[in-house]
Amino acid sequence: MSKDVKKKYQPKGLKIVYEDEYLLVVDKQAGLLTVGSKTNKTMTAHYILTDYIQKGNAKSRKQVFVVHRLDQWTSGLIIFAKSEEIMLHLKEKWKEIEKIYIAVVHGQLKQKEGIITSYLTENDSFTVYSTNDETKGKLAHTAYKVLKEKNNFSLVKINLITGRKNQIRVHMADKGHPVVGDRKYGKDKDINLALHSKSISFKHPADGRKMSFDTKIPDYFHRLMNNKI
């Protein structure tokens, strides 16, 4: 299969940034699930990509495997594997994969750069929270750097050192600066979540060459920052 993405077809709700015989890198729109839920099994990146590589043939044995996930309302880059072997390899090397996010958060942080560290666990209502008890949670590290400040918002670059569920959203809320539009860990209602998976870099699982992908910051972020990005 050609390494060049065919421009004649882009699955709805996501853009294929890169494709070869081993993996796919896609840019997901906010609002699209990564994988199915009990109430939504078809409007997901996983389902759409499976249909894409099967080219409409339901009997095809082709399938995609989830390497990692983005929250439904987080936009940006995700990697999918085309075999279980490649998926397991990428998961094993996950700590070596550089994942950069951009977020707009409420307020202006006193410390403009740092690393947030805590143990993250989840309660019965599926809400993730920080704990100091290492026996209850999984260790999580989030590196951040303030890029711009405008009014009562800050544009923040985030290096996701570990990849726990809702990690960025919980850690920024812990700092007292929740991500704009976060209905679960912040106080906002009925506005978009300002969190975007902007770039990802890794070694190709087949030949080890360096792969780097980058996406544009969504227009919504520009509007929040009064077009000062």
Side-chain angles (χ1 to χ4, degrees), residues 82-147:
K82 289 189 174 180
S83 71
E84 186 175 17
E85 179 184 7
I86 295 298
M87 179 267 289
L88 292 173
H89 174 86
L90 289 168
K91 281 181 175 287
E92 183 181 342
K93 299 293 184 179
W94 191 244
K95 290 183 179 180
E96 301 173 16
I97 297 176
E98 184 179 40
K99 304 161 288 291
I100 301 298
Y101 287 70
I102 295 293
V104 179
V105 303
H106 284 285
Q108 297 187 2
L109 289 79
K110 288 184 178 180
Q111 188 176 350
K112 306 306 179 184
E113 186 174 358
I115 296 177
I116 307 168
T117 297
S118 72
Y119 292 91
L120 295 181
T121 188
E122 190 173 12
N123 63 23
D124 293 338
S125 61
F126 306 108
T127 298
V128 179
Y129 63 94
S130 290
T131 176
N132 293 322
D133 189 344
E134 61 184 74
T135 65
K136 291 183 178 180
K138 294 181 178 179
L139 188 60
H141 301 289
T142 303
Y144 71 91
K145 181 178 182 180
V146 175
L147 301 178

Side-chain angles (χ1 to χ4, degrees), residues 21-80:
E21 62 187 296
Y22 303 100
L23 54 86
L24 285 151
V25 179
V26 302
D27 187 357
K28 181 184 81 70
Q29 292 181 4
L32 185 68
L33 291 165
T34 302
V35 297
S37 64
K38 290 182 180 179
T39 57
N40 188 345
K41 298 185 182 299
T42 59
M43 290 304 295
T44 73
H46 182 256
Y47 183 93
I48 292 168
L49 288 174
T50 299
D51 180 68
Y52 165 76
I53 67 167
Q54 290 177 353
K55 305 298 189 220
N57 182 359
K59 294 182 180 180
S60 173
R61 297 193 179 199
K62 295 177 182 177
Q63 58 181 311
V64 295
F65 296 82
V66 179
V67 176
H68 62 118
R69 306 182 186 190
L70 290 182
D71 295 340
Q72 180 177 5
W73 295 101
T74 301
S75 58
L77 295 172
I78 319 180
I79 306 170
F80 287 87

Side-chain angles (χ1 to χ4, degrees), residues 15 27 75-77 102 196-198 214-219 221-222:
K15 176 183 178 182
D27 187 357
S75 58
L77 295 172
I102 295 293
H196 180 70
S197 173
K198 189 178 188 302
D214 190 82
T215 59
K216 290 172 55 179
I217 297 175
D219 291 342
F221 291 48
H222 289 270

